[in-house]
Amino acid sequence: MGTYHIAGDLLRASVRTAGAELCRLQTGSGMDLLWDGDPAVWARQAPNLFPIVGALKNDRLRHKGRDHALGRHGFARDREWALKRLTAHSVTLRLCDDEGTRAAYPFPFELCVTFRIDGNQLRVQYDLHNPGGSVLFASLGAHPAFRWPLHPDIPRESHRMVFEKPEMAFLPVLDARGLLGAGNQPSPLKNRELALRDEIFQEDALIFNPVESRFLRYSAPGAPVVEVSWEGFPQLGIWTRPGAGFVCIEPWRGFASPAAFDGEFGEKPGVFQVGAGATTTSAYTVRVLPG
C-alpha cells in the first residue's frame, strides 16, 4: 500500500493505492478541499464504486441463474490497486479481476483510473476494459467528499450548489435496505439551486436519475467555487451524514436495485454493458474558480 502525489502550479493531489482513492486535494495556496476522513464519522474520502453503485437486493448478484454475494458499492474501494503510470502531473492505477473478485463478480475486467492535474482542474478518468469473450455487465460511480464548510470560519448554512440546468421535481427514495423504493420525495432544488441543510439528507442521498446537468458549482461567500463536471455519467447522487463535515458530489453510471427487482444482473436497471474486447470511458473533473 502506498500514496502517490501529483501537482501543478494551482492544485496538488494525493492518491492511495488502497482503493485508488483520492485522499487530498489542495489549492496552490494550501487550502484543503477534500474531507480528511474520520473513522468515527466516515473514514472514506473519495471511494470508487465498482462493479455496482448502491445495494443489490439481499446483496446478491445473479448471473446465469447463480447467486454471488456482493455488498453495497462493490469491492473496488477495498482492493489494492497497481501502479500503471506516474508523472509529475498524473497517476494511473489499475485493478484487474482475480480469483477473489470472480467469486463475487463473475466477469473478467481491467479498470484503470487516471488522475491528472491541468491548471486549475483535476480530471479523474475511468477506463473499463472487457478482456473476455462475452459481454461484461457493470455499474460505476465516483464518490468524492468535499469539505462542508469549505472553510471553518464560513457557516454551513451559507453553502449552495447551483446546477447547470433545471432538474426533476421529484427524486427517488431509498428504503431501509438501501434499495430504490416505489415512492419519491419533492426535490429541494429551487431554480437550479440547492441550499445545503442537514435535514435534506435525513432520507439518505439525493438521487438525480437521470441528471440533466453536466456540471454544478459548490460554493459559499468567502470561499473558492468548486465546479464538478462529468462525462458518461447519467446519474448523480448528493450525500452526507447529517452533521458531518463533508458533502459528496457523486457522478454515477448506475444506481441501487429497485426493491421489486429479482432478476439477472444483466437485466437490472442502471447496469451498462461492455462488449468483448471493448473499452468504455467515463470521467469527472473538479475545477477550482475564484469565489
Side-chain angles (χ1 to χ4, degrees), residues 1-6 12-25 34 45 80-83 85-87 90-93 115:
M1 181 168 62
T3 302
Y4 294 99
H5 309 282
I6 57 175
R12 297 190 292 268
S14 299
V15 181
R16 286 193 292 260
T17 56
E21 187 165 7
L22 181 69
C23 58
R24 171 155 288 183
L25 181 60
L34 203 68
Q45 296 175 268
E80 183 71 12
W81 293 54
L83 177 66
R85 186 179 303 109
L86 177 65
T87 73
S90 71
V91 59
T92 300
L93 299 176
F115 301 81

PDB file of all heavy atoms in Angstrom, residues 1-6 12-25 34 45 80-83 85-87 90-93 115:
ATOM      1  N   MET A   1       0.851  -1.195   0.000  1.00  0.00           N
ATOM      2  CA  MET A   1       0.000   0.000   0.000  1.00  0.00           C
ATOM      3  C   MET A   1       0.880   1.237   0.000  1.00  0.00           C
ATOM      4  O   MET A   1       1.863   1.307   0.733  1.00  0.00           O
ATOM      5  CB  MET A   1      -0.931  -0.017   1.215  1.00  0.00           C
ATOM      6  CG  MET A   1      -1.865   1.178   1.287  1.00  0.00           C
ATOM      7  SD  MET A   1      -3.177   0.952   2.515  1.00  0.00           S
ATOM      8  CE  MET A   1      -2.215   0.802   4.020  1.00  0.00           C
ATOM      9  N   GLY A   2       0.529   2.218  -0.844  1.00  0.00           N
ATOM     10  CA  GLY A   2       1.308   3.433  -0.919  1.00  0.00           C
ATOM     11  C   GLY A   2       0.443   4.602  -1.328  1.00  0.00           C
ATOM     12  O   GLY A   2      -0.757   4.468  -1.569  1.00  0.00           O
ATOM     13  N   THR A   3       1.087   5.783  -1.403  1.00  0.00           N
ATOM     14  CA  THR A   3       0.401   7.011  -1.779  1.00  0.00           C
ATOM     15  C   THR A   3       1.250   7.735  -2.811  1.00  0.00           C
ATOM     16  O   THR A   3       2.472   7.850  -2.645  1.00  0.00           O
ATOM     17  CB  THR A   3       0.176   7.924  -0.562  1.00  0.00           C
ATOM     18  OG1 THR A   3      -0.586   7.219   0.430  1.00  0.00           O
ATOM     19  CG2 THR A   3      -0.576   9.188  -0.960  1.00  0.00           C
ATOM     20  N   TYR A   4       0.595   8.207  -3.870  1.00  0.00           N
ATOM     21  CA  TYR A   4       1.281   8.953  -4.917  1.00  0.00           C
ATOM     22  C   TYR A   4       0.807  10.398  -4.904  1.00  0.00           C
ATOM     23  O   TYR A   4      -0.369  10.682  -4.641  1.00  0.00           O
ATOM     24  CB  TYR A   4       1.029   8.319  -6.283  1.00  0.00           C
ATOM     25  CG  TYR A   4       1.649   6.950  -6.402  1.00  0.00           C
ATOM     26  CD1 TYR A   4       0.879   5.798  -6.230  1.00  0.00           C
ATOM     27  CD2 TYR A   4       3.012   6.801  -6.660  1.00  0.00           C
ATOM     28  CE1 TYR A   4       1.450   4.539  -6.322  1.00  0.00           C
ATOM     29  CE2 TYR A   4       3.596   5.542  -6.756  1.00  0.00           C
ATOM     30  CZ  TYR A   4       2.806   4.419  -6.575  1.00  0.00           C
ATOM     31  OH  TYR A   4       3.382   3.176  -6.662  1.00  0.00           O
ATOM     32  N   HIS A   5       1.736  11.308  -5.189  1.00  0.00           N
ATOM     33  CA  HIS A   5       1.453  12.738  -5.143  1.00  0.00           C
ATOM     34  C   HIS A   5       1.669  13.339  -6.527  1.00  0.00           C
ATOM     35  O   HIS A   5       2.687  13.066  -7.178  1.00  0.00           O
ATOM     36  CB  HIS A   5       2.362  13.433  -4.122  1.00  0.00           C
ATOM     37  CG  HIS A   5       2.352  12.776  -2.772  1.00  0.00           C
ATOM     38  ND1 HIS A   5       1.327  12.950  -1.867  1.00  0.00           N
ATOM     39  CD2 HIS A   5       3.240  11.920  -2.193  1.00  0.00           C
ATOM     40  CE1 HIS A   5       1.580  12.249  -0.781  1.00  0.00           C
ATOM     41  NE2 HIS A   5       2.738  11.611  -0.940  1.00  0.00           N
ATOM     42  N   ILE A   6       0.739  14.138  -6.968  1.00  0.00           N
ATOM     43  CA  ILE A   6       0.856  14.843  -8.243  1.00  0.00           C
ATOM     44  C   ILE A   6       0.564  16.321  -7.988  1.00  0.00           C
ATOM     45  O   ILE A   6      -0.140  16.670  -7.037  1.00  0.00           O
ATOM     46  CB  ILE A   6      -0.095  14.268  -9.306  1.00  0.00           C
ATOM     47  CG1 ILE A   6      -1.553  14.311  -8.837  1.00  0.00           C
ATOM     48  CG2 ILE A   6       0.305  12.845  -9.657  1.00  0.00           C
ATOM     49  CD1 ILE A   6      -2.561  13.862  -9.889  1.00  0.00           C
ATOM     50  N   ARG A  12      -2.752  20.528  -6.008  1.00  0.00           N
ATOM     51  CA  ARG A  12      -1.966  19.371  -5.601  1.00  0.00           C
ATOM     52  C   ARG A  12      -2.943  18.280  -5.185  1.00  0.00           C
ATOM     53  O   ARG A  12      -3.993  18.557  -4.599  1.00  0.00           O
ATOM     54  CB  ARG A  12      -1.038  19.704  -4.429  1.00  0.00           C
ATOM     55  CG  ARG A  12       0.006  20.757  -4.739  1.00  0.00           C
ATOM     56  CD  ARG A  12       1.036  20.843  -3.618  1.00  0.00           C
ATOM     57  NE  ARG A  12       0.458  21.364  -2.389  1.00  0.00           N
ATOM     58  CZ  ARG A  12       0.452  22.643  -2.045  1.00  0.00           C
ATOM     59  NH1 ARG A  12       0.965  23.548  -2.877  1.00  0.00           N
ATOM     60  NH2 ARG A  12      -0.065  23.029  -0.900  1.00  0.00           N
ATOM     61  N   ALA A  13      -2.572  17.038  -5.462  1.00  0.00           N
ATOM     62  CA  ALA A  13      -3.446  15.923  -5.098  1.00  0.00           C
ATOM     63  C   ALA A  13      -2.604  14.739  -4.656  1.00  0.00           C
ATOM     64  O   ALA A  13      -1.453  14.577  -5.055  1.00  0.00           O
ATOM     65  CB  ALA A  13      -4.340  15.523  -6.273  1.00  0.00           C
ATOM     66  N   SER A  14      -3.228  13.887  -3.826  1.00  0.00           N
ATOM     67  CA  SER A  14      -2.613  12.638  -3.385  1.00  0.00           C
ATOM     68  C   SER A  14      -3.623  11.521  -3.594  1.00  0.00           C
ATOM     69  O   SER A  14      -4.822  11.696  -3.366  1.00  0.00           O
ATOM     70  CB  SER A  14      -2.203  12.706  -1.911  1.00  0.00           C
ATOM     71  OG  SER A  14      -1.256  13.740  -1.690  1.00  0.00           O
ATOM     72  N   VAL A  15      -3.111  10.362  -4.010  1.00  0.00           N
ATOM     73  CA  VAL A  15      -3.957   9.210  -4.314  1.00  0.00           C
ATOM     74  C   VAL A  15      -3.343   7.979  -3.667  1.00  0.00           C
ATOM     75  O   VAL A  15      -2.151   7.713  -3.842  1.00  0.00           O
ATOM     76  CB  VAL A  15      -4.072   8.990  -5.839  1.00  0.00           C
ATOM     77  CG1 VAL A  15      -4.971   7.793  -6.136  1.00  0.00           C
ATOM     78  CG2 VAL A  15      -4.598  10.242  -6.532  1.00  0.00           C
ATOM     79  N   ARG A  16      -4.161   7.227  -2.947  1.00  0.00           N
ATOM     80  CA  ARG A  16      -3.709   5.979  -2.326  1.00  0.00           C
ATOM     81  C   ARG A  16      -3.910   4.805  -3.272  1.00  0.00           C
ATOM     82  O   ARG A  16      -4.906   4.753  -3.999  1.00  0.00           O
ATOM     83  CB  ARG A  16      -4.485   5.706  -1.031  1.00  0.00           C
ATOM     84  CG  ARG A  16      -4.087   6.581   0.138  1.00  0.00           C
ATOM     85  CD  ARG A  16      -4.688   6.011   1.416  1.00  0.00           C
ATOM     86  NE  ARG A  16      -6.140   6.139   1.413  1.00  0.00           N
ATOM     87  CZ  ARG A  16      -6.810   7.097   2.056  1.00  0.00           C
ATOM     88  NH1 ARG A  16      -6.155   8.019   2.727  1.00  0.00           N
ATOM     89  NH2 ARG A  16      -8.125   7.124   2.012  1.00  0.00           N
ATOM     90  N   THR A  17      -2.999   3.826  -3.204  1.00  0.00           N
ATOM     91  CA  THR A  17      -3.211   2.601  -3.964  1.00  0.00           C
ATOM     92  C   THR A  17      -4.328   1.763  -3.348  1.00  0.00           C
ATOM     93  O   THR A  17      -4.951   0.958  -4.043  1.00  0.00           O
ATOM     94  CB  THR A  17      -1.920   1.773  -4.036  1.00  0.00           C
ATOM     95  OG1 THR A  17      -1.447   1.509  -2.706  1.00  0.00           O
ATOM     96  CG2 THR A  17      -0.841   2.509  -4.821  1.00  0.00           C
ATOM     97  N   ALA A  18      -4.594   1.928  -2.075  1.00  0.00           N
ATOM     98  CA  ALA A  18      -5.721   1.251  -1.433  1.00  0.00           C
ATOM     99  C   ALA A  18      -7.012   1.875  -1.955  1.00  0.00           C
ATOM    100  O   ALA A  18      -7.346   3.019  -1.639  1.00  0.00           O
ATOM    101  CB  ALA A  18      -5.642   1.382   0.084  1.00  0.00           C
ATOM    102  N   GLY A  19      -7.726   1.140  -2.798  1.00  0.00           N
ATOM    103  CA  GLY A  19      -8.972   1.644  -3.352  1.00  0.00           C
ATOM    104  C   GLY A  19      -8.813   2.656  -4.462  1.00  0.00           C
ATOM    105  O   GLY A  19      -9.806   3.176  -4.964  1.00  0.00           O
ATOM    106  N   ALA A  20      -7.577   2.976  -4.877  1.00  0.00           N
ATOM    107  CA  ALA A  20      -7.327   4.058  -5.845  1.00  0.00           C
ATOM    108  C   ALA A  20      -8.068   5.313  -5.410  1.00  0.00           C
ATOM    109  O   ALA A  20      -8.700   5.993  -6.216  1.00  0.00           O
ATOM    110  CB  ALA A  20      -7.734   3.645  -7.255  1.00  0.00           C
ATOM    111  N   GLU A  21      -7.951   5.628  -4.123  1.00  0.00           N
ATOM    112  CA  GLU A  21      -8.771   6.685  -3.532  1.00  0.00           C
ATOM    113  C   GLU A  21      -8.032   8.021  -3.457  1.00  0.00           C
ATOM    114  O   GLU A  21      -6.924   8.104  -2.911  1.00  0.00           O
ATOM    115  CB  GLU A  21      -9.220   6.281  -2.127  1.00  0.00           C
ATOM    116  CG  GLU A  21     -10.208   7.237  -1.503  1.00  0.00           C
ATOM    117  CD  GLU A  21     -10.901   6.653  -0.287  1.00  0.00           C
ATOM    118  OE1 GLU A  21     -10.522   5.547   0.149  1.00  0.00           O
ATOM    119  OE2 GLU A  21     -11.828   7.299   0.228  1.00  0.00           O
ATOM    120  N   LEU A  22      -8.641   9.047  -4.033  1.00  0.00           N
ATOM    121  CA  LEU A  22      -8.161  10.409  -3.852  1.00  0.00           C
ATOM    122  C   LEU A  22      -8.221  10.737  -2.367  1.00  0.00           C
ATOM    123  O   LEU A  22      -9.276  10.611  -1.735  1.00  0.00           O
ATOM    124  CB  LEU A  22      -9.045  11.364  -4.649  1.00  0.00           C
ATOM    125  CG  LEU A  22      -8.687  12.850  -4.604  1.00  0.00           C
ATOM    126  CD1 LEU A  22      -7.379  13.111  -5.346  1.00  0.00           C
ATOM    127  CD2 LEU A  22      -9.818  13.681  -5.215  1.00  0.00           C
ATOM    128  N   CYS A  23      -7.102  11.130  -1.778  1.00  0.00           N
ATOM    129  CA  CYS A  23      -7.082  11.370  -0.335  1.00  0.00           C
ATOM    130  C   CYS A  23      -6.648  12.782   0.030  1.00  0.00           C
ATOM    131  O   CYS A  23      -6.654  13.131   1.217  1.00  0.00           O
ATOM    132  CB  CYS A  23      -6.222  10.328   0.374  1.00  0.00           C
ATOM    133  SG  CYS A  23      -4.503  10.236  -0.174  1.00  0.00           S
ATOM    134  N   ARG A  24      -6.278  13.593  -0.957  1.00  0.00           N
ATOM    135  CA  ARG A  24      -6.009  15.009  -0.691  1.00  0.00           C
ATOM    136  C   ARG A  24      -6.164  15.788  -1.979  1.00  0.00           C
ATOM    137  O   ARG A  24      -5.726  15.357  -3.040  1.00  0.00           O
ATOM    138  CB  ARG A  24      -4.608  15.213  -0.120  1.00  0.00           C
ATOM    139  CG  ARG A  24      -4.190  16.692  -0.030  1.00  0.00           C
ATOM    140  CD  ARG A  24      -3.136  16.937   1.031  1.00  0.00           C
ATOM    141  NE  ARG A  24      -3.695  16.823   2.371  1.00  0.00           N
ATOM    142  CZ  ARG A  24      -3.002  17.040   3.492  1.00  0.00           C
ATOM    143  NH1 ARG A  24      -1.716  17.340   3.421  1.00  0.00           N
ATOM    144  NH2 ARG A  24      -3.580  16.925   4.657  1.00  0.00           N
ATOM    145  N   LEU A  25      -6.794  16.935  -1.859  1.00  0.00           N
ATOM    146  CA  LEU A  25      -6.888  17.882  -2.969  1.00  0.00           C
ATOM    147  C   LEU A  25      -6.739  19.270  -2.377  1.00  0.00           C
ATOM    148  O   LEU A  25      -7.568  19.699  -1.566  1.00  0.00           O
ATOM    149  CB  LEU A  25      -8.225  17.745  -3.699  1.00  0.00           C
ATOM    150  CG  LEU A  25      -8.426  18.665  -4.908  1.00  0.00           C
ATOM    151  CD1 LEU A  25      -7.353  18.420  -5.967  1.00  0.00           C
ATOM    152  CD2 LEU A  25      -9.821  18.488  -5.494  1.00  0.00           C
ATOM    153  N   LEU A  34     -10.787  18.588   0.154  1.00  0.00           N
ATOM    154  CA  LEU A  34     -11.331  17.254   0.365  1.00  0.00           C
ATOM    155  C   LEU A  34     -11.443  16.966   1.865  1.00  0.00           C
ATOM    156  O   LEU A  34     -10.592  17.384   2.670  1.00  0.00           O
ATOM    157  CB  LEU A  34     -10.420  16.223  -0.293  1.00  0.00           C
ATOM    158  CG  LEU A  34     -11.031  14.881  -0.653  1.00  0.00           C
ATOM    159  CD1 LEU A  34     -12.049  15.029  -1.780  1.00  0.00           C
ATOM    160  CD2 LEU A  34      -9.940  13.885  -1.060  1.00  0.00           C
ATOM    161  N   GLN A  45     -12.895   8.945   1.813  1.00  0.00           N
ATOM    162  CA  GLN A  45     -12.768  10.312   1.295  1.00  0.00           C
ATOM    163  C   GLN A  45     -13.276  10.455  -0.133  1.00  0.00           C
ATOM    164  O   GLN A  45     -13.913  11.449  -0.462  1.00  0.00           O
ATOM    165  CB  GLN A  45     -11.300  10.757   1.371  1.00  0.00           C
ATOM    166  CG  GLN A  45     -10.775  10.835   2.791  1.00  0.00           C
ATOM    167  CD  GLN A  45      -9.301  11.148   2.829  1.00  0.00           C
ATOM    168  OE1 GLN A  45      -8.460  10.253   2.850  1.00  0.00           O
ATOM    169  NE2 GLN A  45      -8.966  12.421   2.817  1.00  0.00           N
ATOM    170  N   GLU A  80      -6.511  -3.456  -3.273  1.00  0.00           N
ATOM    171  CA  GLU A  80      -5.235  -2.801  -3.552  1.00  0.00           C
ATOM    172  C   GLU A  80      -5.056  -2.713  -5.066  1.00  0.00           C
ATOM    173  O   GLU A  80      -5.191  -3.709  -5.780  1.00  0.00           O
ATOM    174  CB  GLU A  80      -4.092  -3.596  -2.926  1.00  0.00           C
ATOM    175  CG  GLU A  80      -2.717  -2.975  -3.101  1.00  0.00           C
ATOM    176  CD  GLU A  80      -2.496  -1.726  -2.270  1.00  0.00           C
ATOM    177  OE1 GLU A  80      -3.309  -1.439  -1.368  1.00  0.00           O
ATOM    178  OE2 GLU A  80      -1.506  -1.015  -2.532  1.00  0.00           O
ATOM    179  N   TRP A  81      -4.783  -1.509  -5.558  1.00  0.00           N
ATOM    180  CA  TRP A  81      -4.619  -1.270  -6.989  1.00  0.00           C
ATOM    181  C   TRP A  81      -3.129  -1.194  -7.321  1.00  0.00           C
ATOM    182  O   TRP A  81      -2.304  -0.824  -6.483  1.00  0.00           O
ATOM    183  CB  TRP A  81      -5.300   0.033  -7.381  1.00  0.00           C
ATOM    184  CG  TRP A  81      -6.801   0.029  -7.272  1.00  0.00           C
ATOM    185  CD1 TRP A  81      -7.543  -0.305  -6.180  1.00  0.00           C
ATOM    186  CD2 TRP A  81      -7.732   0.408  -8.289  1.00  0.00           C
ATOM    187  NE1 TRP A  81      -8.881  -0.165  -6.451  1.00  0.00           N
ATOM    188  CE2 TRP A  81      -9.027   0.273  -7.742  1.00  0.00           C
ATOM    189  CE3 TRP A  81      -7.601   0.843  -9.602  1.00  0.00           C
ATOM    190  CZ2 TRP A  81     -10.179   0.565  -8.467  1.00  0.00           C
ATOM    191  CZ3 TRP A  81      -8.741   1.142 -10.336  1.00  0.00           C
ATOM    192  CH2 TRP A  81     -10.022   0.993  -9.771  1.00  0.00           C
ATOM    193  N   ALA A  82      -2.800  -1.508  -8.560  1.00  0.00           N
ATOM    194  CA  ALA A  82      -1.415  -1.486  -9.026  1.00  0.00           C
ATOM    195  C   ALA A  82      -1.120  -0.194  -9.782  1.00  0.00           C
ATOM    196  O   ALA A  82      -1.980   0.341 -10.480  1.00  0.00           O
ATOM    197  CB  ALA A  82      -1.148  -2.685  -9.934  1.00  0.00           C
ATOM    198  N   LEU A  83       0.099   0.277  -9.650  1.00  0.00           N
ATOM    199  CA  LEU A  83       0.520   1.454 -10.409  1.00  0.00           C
ATOM    200  C   LEU A  83       0.738   1.070 -11.864  1.00  0.00           C
ATOM    201  O   LEU A  83       1.452   0.106 -12.175  1.00  0.00           O
ATOM    202  CB  LEU A  83       1.814   2.013  -9.824  1.00  0.00           C
ATOM    203  CG  LEU A  83       2.406   3.213 -10.575  1.00  0.00           C
ATOM    204  CD1 LEU A  83       1.504   4.429 -10.470  1.00  0.00           C
ATOM    205  CD2 LEU A  83       3.805   3.530 -10.037  1.00  0.00           C
ATOM    206  N   ARG A  85       1.051   3.966 -14.337  1.00  0.00           N
ATOM    207  CA  ARG A  85       1.822   5.066 -14.906  1.00  0.00           C
ATOM    208  C   ARG A  85       1.876   6.214 -13.902  1.00  0.00           C
ATOM    209  O   ARG A  85       0.873   6.518 -13.238  1.00  0.00           O
ATOM    210  CB  ARG A  85       1.185   5.541 -16.209  1.00  0.00           C
ATOM    211  CG  ARG A  85       1.977   6.590 -16.984  1.00  0.00           C
ATOM    212  CD  ARG A  85       1.258   6.963 -18.274  1.00  0.00           C
ATOM    213  NE  ARG A  85       1.015   5.810 -19.134  1.00  0.00           N
ATOM    214  CZ  ARG A  85      -0.175   5.279 -19.345  1.00  0.00           C
ATOM    215  NH1 ARG A  85      -1.253   5.786 -18.760  1.00  0.00           N
ATOM    216  NH2 ARG A  85      -0.316   4.229 -20.148  1.00  0.00           N
ATOM    217  N   LEU A  86       3.025   6.883 -13.804  1.00  0.00           N
ATOM    218  CA  LEU A  86       3.182   8.030 -12.899  1.00  0.00           C
ATOM    219  C   LEU A  86       4.012   9.100 -13.577  1.00  0.00           C
ATOM    220  O   LEU A  86       5.078   8.816 -14.129  1.00  0.00           O
ATOM    221  CB  LEU A  86       3.864   7.590 -11.599  1.00  0.00           C
ATOM    222  CG  LEU A  86       4.171   8.679 -10.570  1.00  0.00           C
ATOM    223  CD1 LEU A  86       2.879   9.292 -10.020  1.00  0.00           C
ATOM    224  CD2 LEU A  86       5.037   8.131  -9.440  1.00  0.00           C
ATOM    225  N   THR A  87       3.518  10.338 -13.569  1.00  0.00           N
ATOM    226  CA  THR A  87       4.276  11.506 -13.996  1.00  0.00           C
ATOM    227  C   THR A  87       4.147  12.567 -12.904  1.00  0.00           C
ATOM    228  O   THR A  87       3.481  12.350 -11.894  1.00  0.00           O
ATOM    229  CB  THR A  87       3.754  12.074 -15.332  1.00  0.00           C
ATOM    230  OG1 THR A  87       2.496  12.737 -15.099  1.00  0.00           O
ATOM    231  CG2 THR A  87       3.568  10.980 -16.374  1.00  0.00           C
ATOM    232  N   SER A  90       0.299  13.407 -13.231  1.00  0.00           N
ATOM    233  CA  SER A  90      -0.758  12.410 -13.351  1.00  0.00           C
ATOM    234  C   SER A  90      -0.315  11.077 -12.777  1.00  0.00           C
ATOM    235  O   SER A  90       0.884  10.764 -12.699  1.00  0.00           O
ATOM    236  CB  SER A  90      -1.181  12.235 -14.811  1.00  0.00           C
ATOM    237  OG  SER A  90      -0.167  11.582 -15.550  1.00  0.00           O
ATOM    238  N   VAL A  91      -1.318  10.279 -12.394  1.00  0.00           N
ATOM    239  CA  VAL A  91      -1.066   8.914 -11.950  1.00  0.00           C
ATOM    240  C   VAL A  91      -2.221   8.047 -12.435  1.00  0.00           C
ATOM    241  O   VAL A  91      -3.383   8.467 -12.395  1.00  0.00           O
ATOM    242  CB  VAL A  91      -0.901   8.830 -10.415  1.00  0.00           C
ATOM    243  CG1 VAL A  91      -2.137   9.338  -9.674  1.00  0.00           C
ATOM    244  CG2 VAL A  91      -0.560   7.414  -9.977  1.00  0.00           C
ATOM    245  N   THR A  92      -1.886   6.848 -12.924  1.00  0.00           N
ATOM    246  CA  THR A  92      -2.885   5.872 -13.350  1.00  0.00           C
ATOM    247  C   THR A  92      -2.722   4.605 -12.528  1.00  0.00           C
ATOM    248  O   THR A  92      -1.610   4.060 -12.443  1.00  0.00           O
ATOM    249  CB  THR A  92      -2.742   5.532 -14.842  1.00  0.00           C
ATOM    250  OG1 THR A  92      -2.902   6.717 -15.625  1.00  0.00           O
ATOM    251  CG2 THR A  92      -3.781   4.505 -15.271  1.00  0.00           C
ATOM    252  N   LEU A  93      -3.820   4.143 -11.944  1.00  0.00           N
ATOM    253  CA  LEU A  93      -3.842   2.914 -11.168  1.00  0.00           C
ATOM    254  C   LEU A  93      -4.761   1.910 -11.856  1.00  0.00           C
ATOM    255  O   LEU A  93      -5.725   2.299 -12.526  1.00  0.00           O
ATOM    256  CB  LEU A  93      -4.304   3.180  -9.744  1.00  0.00           C
ATOM    257  CG  LEU A  93      -3.426   4.143  -8.925  1.00  0.00           C
ATOM    258  CD1 LEU A  93      -4.039   4.411  -7.563  1.00  0.00           C
ATOM    259  CD2 LEU A  93      -2.013   3.588  -8.756  1.00  0.00           C
ATOM    260  N   PHE A 115      -5.736  10.043 -12.637  1.00  0.00           N
ATOM    261  CA  PHE A 115      -5.890  11.348 -12.003  1.00  0.00           C
ATOM    262  C   PHE A 115      -4.887  12.288 -12.666  1.00  0.00           C
ATOM    263  O   PHE A 115      -3.693  12.016 -12.647  1.00  0.00           O
ATOM    264  CB  PHE A 115      -5.606  11.260 -10.504  1.00  0.00           C
ATOM    265  CG  PHE A 115      -6.493  10.288  -9.759  1.00  0.00           C
ATOM    266  CD1 PHE A 115      -6.213   8.915  -9.766  1.00  0.00           C
ATOM    267  CD2 PHE A 115      -7.590  10.739  -9.052  1.00  0.00           C
ATOM    268  CE1 PHE A 115      -7.023   8.023  -9.076  1.00  0.00           C
ATOM    269  CE2 PHE A 115      -8.407   9.852  -8.353  1.00  0.00           C
ATOM    270  CZ  PHE A 115      -8.123   8.497  -8.376  1.00  0.00           C
TER     271      PHE A 115
END
